[in-house]
């Protein structure tokens, strides 16, 4: 099933607006699909207590992200669809703040390191370092590099914390793509929507593994 999905997506990408960059996005979504498949086998092993607040926040973020992506795709040919548009900047700022709060809650649910090797290995292959660099650059424009507010995105901590970082990674990729292209074309929108869908689903599966 994963192979068929990836095959269909690959053929769509190579004939899309990505051109030579198609393979990069194919690898991205294939990884997300593989992670989603893996979560079905490992959710019972996550080992963190259920938190209703995190559940609510992830669902709220997912709904707002999908609505935002769709609205930006529809407005791609207008000024309202540009990256610097007030609506877009408000969404990115609010999403970053909300997900950072979710990250803090996930981090303190358990002090036990994620023992699930498949999860760690897959997450470890993602580009967390690029987020670290981006956040560090943004932070340097507003304050000291040693600020206590620095966000750590390396794949460490309990399994749910690692999965929440996957959601933040997907959100950062959306913002980066929007900034790079200044609009969300249908293909860009689809790739980012599927990436966010997969990352949120994985996090919710892990969170609900011990739901009463």
């Amino acid at each position: 099933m994963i192979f068929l999905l990836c095959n269909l997506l690959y053929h769509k990408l190579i004939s899309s607006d990505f051109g030579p960059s198609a393979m990069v996005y194919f690898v991205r979504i294939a990884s997300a699909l593989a992670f989603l498949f893996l979560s079905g086998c490992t959710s019972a092993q996550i080992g963190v207590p259920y938190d209703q607040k995190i559940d609510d926040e992830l669902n709220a973020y997912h709904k707002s992200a999908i609505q935002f992506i769709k609205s930006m795709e529809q407005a791609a040919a207008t000024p309202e669809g540009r990256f610097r548009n007030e609506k877009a900047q408000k969404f990115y700022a609010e999403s970053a703040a909300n997900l950072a709060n979710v990250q803090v809650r996930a981090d303190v649910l358990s002090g036990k390191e994620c023992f699930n090797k498949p999860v760690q290995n897959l997450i470890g292959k993602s580009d967390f370092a690029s987020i670290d660099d981006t956040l560090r650059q943004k932070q340097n424009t507003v304050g000291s590099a040693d600020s206590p507010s620095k966000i750590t995105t390396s794949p460490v901590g309990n399994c749910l914390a690692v999965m929440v970082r996957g959601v933040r990674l997907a959100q950062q990729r959306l913002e980066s793509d929007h900034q790079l292209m200044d609009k969300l074309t249908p293909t860009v929108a689809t790739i980012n929507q599927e990436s966010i869908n997969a990352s949120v689903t994985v996090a919710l599966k892990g969170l609900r593994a011990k739901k009463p």
Side-chain angles (χ1 to χ4, degrees), residues 20-46:
S21 300
M23 184 56 71
V24 174
Y25 289 85
F26 170 69
V27 171
R28 177 193 298 185
I29 197 63
S31 296
L33 288 169
F35 192 17
L36 181 59
F37 174 78
L38 180 65
S39 72
C41 304
T42 63
S43 60
Q45 304 173 23
I46 300 305

Side-chain angles (χ1 to χ4, degrees), residues 8-166:
L8 288 172
L9 182 60
Y10 174 74
H11 286 293
K12 179 179 180 179
L13 283 174
I14 60 177
S15 60
S16 71
D17 44 300
F18 282 109
S21 300
M23 184 56 71
V24 174
Y25 289 85
F26 170 69
V27 171
R28 177 193 298 185
I29 197 63
S31 296
L33 288 169
F35 192 17
L36 181 59
F37 174 78
L38 180 65
S39 72
C41 304
T42 63
S43 60
Q45 304 173 23
I46 300 305
V48 295
Y50 176 72
D51 187 305
Q52 183 67 55
K53 180 66 173 178
I54 293 179
D55 197 317
D56 293 342
E57 289 290 342
L58 286 175
N59 275 295
Y61 161 72
H62 182 250
K63 180 179 179 180
S64 67
I66 300 307
Q67 290 176 337
F68 171 77
I69 291 172
K70 190 63 178 178
S71 67
M72 290 294 105
E73 178 187 353
Q74 293 174 339
T78 72
E80 286 71 26
R82 302 304 180 188
F83 175 73
R84 293 296 179 185
N85 179 267
E86 182 179 354
K87 178 181 178 180
Q89 291 304 300
K90 181 180 179 181
F91 168 76
Y92 290 127
E94 290 181 349
S95 295
N98 291 339
L99 289 177
N101 185 56
V102 172
Q103 185 71 69
V104 170
R105 292 185 69 93
D107 287 343
V108 301
L109 279 181
S110 172
K112 187 175 181 180
E113 291 292 312
C114 186
F115 58 84
N116 192 302
K117 293 301 182 182
V119 171
Q120 284 284 26
N121 290 339
L122 188 57
I123 291 294
K125 294 177 182 178
S126 299
D127 53 348
F128 283 100
S130 68
I131 293 187
D132 275 336
D133 290 339
T134 300
L135 292 173
R136 190 175 299 110
Q137 290 171 7
K138 290 183 177 180
Q139 185 179 44
N140 287 340
T141 66
V142 297
S144 169
D146 295 324
S147 168
S149 64
K150 178 182 177 182
I151 302 172
T152 300
T153 53
S154 57
V156 295
N158 64 66
C159 286
L160 179 62
V162 171
M163 290 177 172
V164 169
R165 288 188 180 93

